[in-house]
Amino acid sequence: MNSRAQLGLCAVLLAVALTGGAVALGGGSEAPPQSTSPVSAAALRSGDVKALQAHLRAQPRDFGGWATLGLAYVEQARTTGDASRYPHAERALKRSLKLRPGNDQALAGQAALAAARHDFLAALTYADRALKANPYSERALASRIDALVELGRYDDAAEAADLADERRPGIPVFTRYAYVHELSGDVKTARRVLKQALASATAAPDVAYVATQLGQLAWNQGDYEEALLYFARALAADDTYLPALEGRARAQAADGDREGAVRGMEAVVAKSPLPGPLVVLGELYEARGDRERADDQYALVDAWTALARANGVNADLDTALAAADHGDAKAALRAARAEWDRRETVHTADALAWALHADGRDKEALRYTRRATATGYRNATFLYHRGMIEYTAGEKDAAQKHLRQALRLNPGFSPLGAREARAALKDLGAAK
């Protein structure tokens, strides 16, 4: 898909978002509310929104079916980047709660929806309410971990992961348990838990999901060969799984296959124009000297941001990171400060530090970049940001240390960032 067509796609999605689209909201019925049927549960597993809508037209009092449809919309939005699904999800979940007030399926769905919209305080509130109704709700247990992680409450998230593992051990909990350990720097435990989860996975969607998590973990540690093997395994289970396609393209770029990476990332953004892959594709174009096409990708981030905000998604973190590198430094700083005021995490600390750097305020940025790397999380981009901030702030020894650590950990972490890190190290060596 060319850049003009991509912009058209974003415009269409935005128009759908603003007009509300169509959702299966059948007429009222005086029959008593029903529980989730096998039809709707199967439809959720397959992601078949149309089957759920058809089922609910036939049984409009199925409160569990409405909750299932709401979750299906959340998942659809997550995998495709189409934020116009979120209002549909909200209406379906409200219908479920109207039919059966306080049912844990809908409350857990509202937790997942709030998390998808980056309203993590609301996600935590809904998850706690769902768990009060059903302490063994897998969806609520998982959403509670997500919310605590995204609020920067890492000790609480670790406790929540332990509790979830006791109550409902399974792939959704295992993958979150692994991520909590990865954030603390315990990559060994994260890898072990994910491998156990993959060994237990039988359904193709589970295999694709867990193998992709292992691929991303390997890529983060600079092991591109292992990353590519796991992404291949994920795609063997589901050759349309976008996170695996994106991960494979990133690993190809880092491993030197730039043309394969461009083709792969073009395929991803054609289906799901999200900020992360758009920026990576833009940087791949920029690295080969195609500035015009790169700028088109960066402009698409703004279109996605408009769509996201129109559908109740807080997009400040995405905006801050993209704008700091490829846009308006002042806008990046406003977005980063707003996000930091909402939640203090390693990711928001890194985004605020990098936005301050882009705005020429490196001395102020030092506090936040140190905060971003304080948990032991092994992330080359964080280390690169810290090193560049220290480099500009005049802390040459510290800059050299952290830039070397970034390149040692993941030498292909970014098509442009890795090049800039090497240039800074060369200059620091010459300065000495």
Side-chain angles (χ1 to χ4, degrees), residues 50-80:
K50 289 184 178 179
L52 280 164
Q53 290 173 330
H55 165 70
L56 288 165
R57 281 193 290 270
Q59 298 187 42
R61 301 286 289 173
D62 181 354
F63 69 88
W66 286 107
T68 301
L69 178 62
L71 283 167
Y73 278 132
V74 172
E75 180 64 14
Q76 190 179 68
R78 187 189 67 79
T79 56
T80 66

Side-chain angles (χ1 to χ4, degrees), residues 237-290:
D238 179 358
D239 62 4
T240 67
Y241 190 53
L242 288 174
L245 290 168
E246 179 185 344
R248 182 177 68 180
R250 288 177 185 267
Q252 287 172 323
D255 203 36
D257 182 8
R258 291 289 178 88
E259 291 308 308
V262 168
R263 289 193 299 272
M265 204 61 80
E266 284 175 340
V268 170
V269 301
K271 296 179 180 177
S272 178
L274 289 166
L278 284 169
V279 168
V280 172
L281 181 57
E283 291 188 350
L284 286 167
Y285 286 145
E286 191 172 342
R288 70 181 190 186
D290 193 344

Side-chain angles (χ1 to χ4, degrees), residues 309 314-321 323 329-342 351-352 355:
R309 287 179 173 157
N314 164 28
D316 280 335
L317 184 59
D318 303 284
T319 299
L321 289 169
K330 296 294 185 184
L333 185 53
R334 285 194 300 272
R337 286 197 186 281
E339 193 65 18
W340 178 256
D341 287 343
R342 280 187 287 268
L352 179 52

Side-chain angles (χ1 to χ4, degrees), residues 87-108:
H88 302 340
E90 184 174 7
R91 287 193 289 272
L93 293 166
K94 285 182 176 178
R95 174 65 70 90
S96 175
L97 287 166
K98 183 177 181 180
L99 289 166
R100 179 63 61 87
N103 80 80
D104 67 277
Q105 292 168 276
L107 290 170

